[in-house]
Amino acid sequence: MSSESYDLIVIGAGPGGYVCAFRAAQLGLKVALVEKRATLGGTCLNVGCIPSKALLHSSEHVTWARQHAKDHGIKLGSVEVDLAAFMKRKDDVVTKLVGGVGQLAKARKIAVITGTAQFTGPKTIRITPSEPKTQNSEPKTQNAKPAIVADLSATNFVVATGSAAVELPFMKFDGQTVVSSEHAIAFDSVPKKLVVVGGGAIGLELGSVWSRLGSEVTVVEFLPKIVANYDDDIVRNFTRILQKQGLRIETATKITGCQLKTQNAKLETAAVLAAEKDGKPLEFAADKVLVSVGRRPFTDGLALEKAGVQLDEKKRVKVDDHLRTTAPGIWAIGDVVAGPMLAHKAEEDGVAVAEWIAGKHGHINWDLVPAIVYTSPEVASVGLGEDTAKAKGLAVNVGKFNFAANGRAIAMAQTDGYVKIIADAKTDRILGAQILGNNAGEFISEIVTHMEYGGSAEDLARTIHAHPTMSEAVKEAGLAVSKSALHAL
């Protein structure tokens, strides 16, 4: 057993945690990074953002080859998917990235400690070996004491332990039929029928992947619309596009039960979901059920109470506006605190906390965290939507520009969707934006940049955009706020 003291110990090596550790090391602090996985990167790099985007990209190639190659004069034979190779590419992408993070930590002389952390006091933690994550692992021996890897102390701690998928009480994850997103990025065969419970980003992205590979996908959403934080017009058009791609979407539908074939051998599929819509019963047959109804802050096993760290009513770590917890010298970032559960938000939290700990002036603008759904086309947003702004009683001007009128979009056959800019009617200051279209996630950053310095729709409109590019639609939407779009009637 080893014992060591540090200026900062970061618990959790996801995007928030490792970025916090990197910035603190840059600022001269002695830093340790504790991670229960054998690799760094957290959920995002290992089983979340990165592998799902690799699968999305590969599956888009499948759709293009099968449905669009002929439109470009490209003749292909039968297009088949080698699922093992398909998955190997995803795994290779993950391996490369998590390895890169490990190399960066080593170069910054950060002590990386593999194990599970538990507070033993306000300035101390104990590290024990992480439990192996296998389906057939031996049960724990009662009253057995875990081996101790290290007892560590620090002047400052950052809790960056992320989040975990929410289970439905009557439909627990079994890893075989009822699965989380972590399971759904690693199926060994294409399910004939996939039911996705939840119409948010994760469900729509993974539903799109398996639909492109041949699954009959049904998305069941409890709320009246999918991606509920977006404007009604964006959602209406987005829904239509997804339905055209083959996804069945059932909104305002409540799942009330799940019967597995292990419970009823007469079932023709692995599961049958019972549901209710408009007071009428529905049933959905499924070979796999992906439950993606949200994520919860993950602080299990940290013994935060021993350090004096309090949680709020939603089991999030209580923090002030500088991300300090109720215990002096302990900070919390990312998914364990209030705010959007997004990797880039966690990164900004981590950088700011490292700078505050080092006596610098950290900065975060939580009002300007962009959100993206990485389907095809993508949906992206920042700030206030039109519906929300009007619900708040704000007077706004709205500019829209369709990709169907953009030269590059036409050349690329990517004409679905549009850019929408929401600006204050009096000052012209940009309040928000929503984009439905190819690479919307790339375009939204330009608007975030203008909003960061308080820019106006006119500032955006007068920024020179190269021609021909799809980003010209952003400029035109800025012009459209004052009814000055040049390439629209």
Side-chain angles (χ1 to χ4, degrees):
M1 183 179 75
S2 64
S3 179
E4 188 79 35
S5 183
Y6 295 89
D7 297 321
L8 169 64
I9 295 176
V10 181
I11 305 171
Y18 81 72
V19 167
C20 180
F22 287 5
R23 182 63 180 135
Q26 283 180 338
L27 294 171
L29 302 184
K30 182 182 179 182
V31 182
L33 182 59
V34 180
E35 170 56 46
K36 64 182 179 181
R37 284 188 174 88
T39 53
L40 304 183
T43 294
C44 179
L45 269 67
N46 286 274
V47 293
C49 319
I50 295 302
S52 65
K53 302 313 165 285
L55 294 178
L56 281 160
H57 186 68
S58 294
S59 63
E60 286 172 11
H61 284 309
V62 175
T63 297
W64 188 87
R66 287 176 173 169
Q67 299 181 12
H68 305 296
K70 63 180 181 296
D71 297 334
H72 297 264
I74 301 171
K75 295 181 179 180
L76 300 174
S78 176
V79 177
E80 306 296 333
V81 174
D82 180 341
L83 190 60
F86 192 93
M87 290 294 175
K88 182 180 182 301
R89 180 187 178 275
K90 176 258 298 182
D91 293 339
D92 289 345
V93 169
V94 170
T95 298
K96 182 174 183 177
L97 282 170
V98 298
V101 174
Q103 290 175 349
L104 289 171
K106 184 177 180 180
R108 286 161 173 73
K109 295 180 172 54
I110 294 168
V112 175
I113 301 165
T114 303
T116 300
Q118 185 177 75
F119 280 95
T120 54
K123 296 295 180 183
T124 55
I125 58 171
R126 173 160 289 177
I127 311 298
T128 55
S130 301
E131 294 180 32
K133 194 171 184 180
T134 60
Q135 290 181 342
N136 300 316
S137 59
E138 292 293 325
K140 287 183 181 178
T141 303
Q142 280 192 336
N143 301 320
K145 293 184 178 179
I148 300 171
V149 174
D151 282 314
L152 306 177
S153 62
T155 307
N156 294 280
F157 290 88
V158 171
V159 178
T161 45
S163 59
V166 171
E167 287 185 306
L168 294 175
F170 56 87
M171 202 159 55
K172 299 285 188 179
F173 297 132
D174 60 24
Q176 297 298 319
T177 301
V178 181
V179 303
S180 69
S181 57
E182 186 171 338
H183 304 114
I185 61 167
F187 292 156
D188 57 10
S189 62
V190 178
K192 184 177 179 182
K193 293 178 181 290
L194 172 65
V195 173
V196 178
V197 182
I202 294 172
L204 295 176
E205 289 173 11
L206 292 176
S208 293
V209 167
W210 293 106
S211 175
R212 293 165 190 165
L213 298 184
S215 287
E216 182 182 313
V217 176
T218 301
V219 178
V220 182
E221 170 55 54
F222 175 72
L223 295 175
K225 63 182 183 181
I226 59 173
V227 289
N229 291 332
Y230 285 82
D231 286 341
D232 286 348
D233 64 308
I234 291 279
V235 175
R236 185 170 57 252
N237 284 283
F238 184 41
T239 301
R240 174 184 55 78
I241 292 168
L242 293 178
Q243 289 172 329
K244 187 176 179 181
Q245 291 174 0
L247 275 69
R248 176 185 174 187
I249 297 176
E250 296 283 354
T251 55
T253 303
K254 180 181 180 180
I255 298 294
T256 57
C258 176
Q259 190 172 37
L260 302 176
K261 192 165 188 176
T262 52
Q263 302 164 339
N264 183 354
K266 294 180 180 180
L267 296 181
E268 294 183 1
T269 55
V272 173
L273 302 184
E276 184 180 283
K277 181 173 185 175
D278 297 329
K280 298 178 181 178
L282 289 175
E283 282 191 347
F284 302 102
D287 296 296
K288 299 281 188 184
V289 180
L290 168 58
V291 178
S292 55
V293 294
R295 296 183 66 82
R296 64 176 179 86
F298 186 83
T299 57
D300 304 16
L302 278 174
L304 292 172
E305 68 281 357
K306 293 183 180 180
V309 175
Q310 297 177 10
L311 304 181
D312 67 14
E313 70 284 353
K314 295 184 178 180
K315 305 298 183 184
R316 301 172 301 199
V317 179
K318 281 186 179 180
V319 291
D320 64 12
D321 56 5
H322 279 68
L323 297 170
R324 292 173 294 213
T325 71
T326 52
I330 302 180
W331 315 65
I333 64 173
D335 290 4
V336 297
V337 302
M341 290 183 171
L342 297 169
H344 44 283
K345 184 265 187 185
E347 289 186 14
E348 296 305 315
D349 285 358
V351 169
V353 165
E355 291 173 347
W356 286 325
I357 289 172
K360 306 293 183 182
H361 298 285
H363 167 79
I364 317 169
N365 188 341
W366 284 301
D367 292 330
L368 296 185
V369 179
I372 305 160
V373 183
Y374 293 90
T375 46
S376 181
E378 294 176 352
V379 187
S381 67
V382 65
L384 295 179
E386 178 183 6
D387 295 348
T388 302
K390 289 179 177 177
K392 288 177 176 286
L394 300 176
V396 296
N397 291 327
V398 177
K400 291 184 182 180
F401 191 81
N402 294 318
F403 285 112
N406 175 271
R408 185 67 189 277
I410 293 170
M412 295 172 62
Q414 296 287 353
T415 55
D416 282 330
Y418 51 93
V419 179
K420 180 161 75 164
I421 307 294
I422 299 91
D424 184 277
K426 292 182 179 179
T427 66
D428 197 40
R429 182 172 180 169
I430 302 171
L431 301 177
Q434 297 194 358
I435 306 175
L436 169 64
N438 182 55
N439 279 336
E442 303 292 339
F443 301 142
I444 201 71
S445 294
E446 174 190 1
I447 301 169
V448 176
T449 301
H450 278 281
M451 292 178 70
E452 184 63 45
Y453 70 82
S456 66
E458 182 179 359
D459 290 324
L460 183 63
R462 290 187 179 276
T463 302
I464 297 173
H465 292 66
H467 175 79
T469 61
M470 288 185 67
S471 69
E472 289 175 281
V474 177
K475 173 185 176 73
E476 290 277 2
L479 286 165
V481 169
S482 59
K483 297 181 173 55
S484 304
L486 297 171
H487 291 88
L489 296 175

